[in-house]
Amino acid sequence: MIGVATLLLLRHGRTTANADGGLAGRQPVELDDTGRAQATAVGERLRAVPLAAVVTSPLIRCRQTLELALPQATPVVEDGLIECDYGSWEGQPLKKLAKEPLWPVVQQHPSAAVFPQGEAMAAMAARAVAAVRAWDARVSAEYGSEAVWLACSHGDVIKAIVADALGVHLDAFQRIVADPASVTAIRFTPLRPFLVRLNDTGGDLAALVPAPRKRRRRTARATDSDAAVGGGAGASR
């Protein structure tokens, strides 16, 4: 498989809205004590990972997460990673929103959901996927195939990016889970994206750093592996 960069998608730590059962949307909610502890803990796991670039949603909960997790980093704000604009739904309790006629659409057919005075779920997915693919191409071109980079964003945004990587319809994205402070890893190859890890909240992240590629000797033609046909993203490394 042709070497490519590795994207780590980091969801922000738990917020006061998460704890209270509200829909934060683009409101400036901040991390609570649990969220700050989660951000610090994921930072310990990321310490062994050399990051070529760090980008973030502009919302404060993502920036706070990175300040705690990666205090030495200088994140670049990427507007394409901002949370979905939930319009008039923002700030309301999820229990109340669950009674709205739009709620079943959001849960079962999110590709058709357009939030009142807000954004279409499909539009959120399109701009988020475009943002990470553009950044991935840039990182790969500048730093090479062993590069690892990180993007800090939000639950629905990450789920939409994962659905695209898996090649499934956006209507299936509610089956995907991205917990606070979880890490998801994707490699975008010329053939197809590979979902390397999903919703990881405790695994060894250093294992995601690709090993340096070895040059093949010209005197013997290497036998093609089956990795590109059915193997995992790291099968040929």
Side-chain angles (χ1 to χ4, degrees):
M1 186 188 71
I2 298 176
V4 292
T6 301
L7 161 62
L8 304 184
L9 288 167
L10 171 65
R11 185 182 174 188
H12 61 78
R14 196 180 82 164
T15 68
T16 53
N18 295 144
D20 294 338
L23 183 64
R26 296 185 179 182
Q27 295 186 328
V29 299
E30 303 190 22
L31 302 185
D32 64 6
D33 289 342
T34 296
R36 286 188 285 272
Q38 290 171 335
T40 301
V42 77
E44 291 296 322
R45 296 168 59 216
L46 287 165
R47 184 171 296 181
V49 181
L51 296 172
V54 177
V55 301
T56 181
S57 157
L59 296 181
I60 190 170
R61 53 192 183 269
C62 287
R63 291 186 283 113
Q64 286 178 331
T65 298
L66 291 177
E67 287 171 4
L68 291 167
L70 301 169
Q72 303 304 318
T74 304
V76 177
V77 172
E78 170 53 63
D79 289 336
L81 295 176
I82 196 171
E83 178 66 286
C84 185
D85 182 355
Y86 298 115
S88 62
W89 277 32
E90 292 189 358
Q92 296 195 50
L94 292 173
K95 289 183 178 179
K96 177 182 177 182
L97 294 174
K99 300 176 183 178
E100 294 286 337
L102 182 60
W103 183 266
V105 180
V106 173
Q107 299 304 316
Q108 300 172 25
H109 304 291
S111 65
V114 181
F115 294 97
Q117 303 174 40
E119 186 176 22
M121 192 75 82
M124 174 275 289
R127 48 97 169 158
V129 168
V132 295
R133 285 181 177 266
W135 269 99
D136 195 76
R138 189 183 314 173
V139 171
S140 293
E142 185 170 352
Y143 296 99
S145 61
E146 283 79 48
V148 181
W149 66 285
L150 182 143
C152 186
S153 191
H154 309 270
D156 280 351
V157 174
I158 292 172
K159 288 159 57 179
I161 294 169
V162 170
D164 171 75
L166 290 173
V168 302
H169 198 279
L170 185 62
D171 285 346
F173 102 129
Q174 296 291 22
R175 303 182 184 192
I176 299 166
V177 176
D179 289 322
S182 66
V183 175
T184 292
I186 298 172
R187 292 188 181 123
F188 294 99
T189 80
L191 179 64
R192 66 172 75 89
F194 287 91
L195 179 63
V196 182
R197 199 170 294 188
L198 175 65
N199 195 38
D200 188 327
T201 57
D204 176 18
L205 298 181
L208 294 172
V209 180
R213 301 181 70 199
K214 295 181 180 179
R215 293 184 178 180
R216 292 176 175 175
R217 296 176 61 186
R218 292 182 177 274
T219 54
R221 184 174 181 179
T223 301
D224 291 337
S225 75
D226 64 349
V229 176
S236 60
R237 292 186 180 276

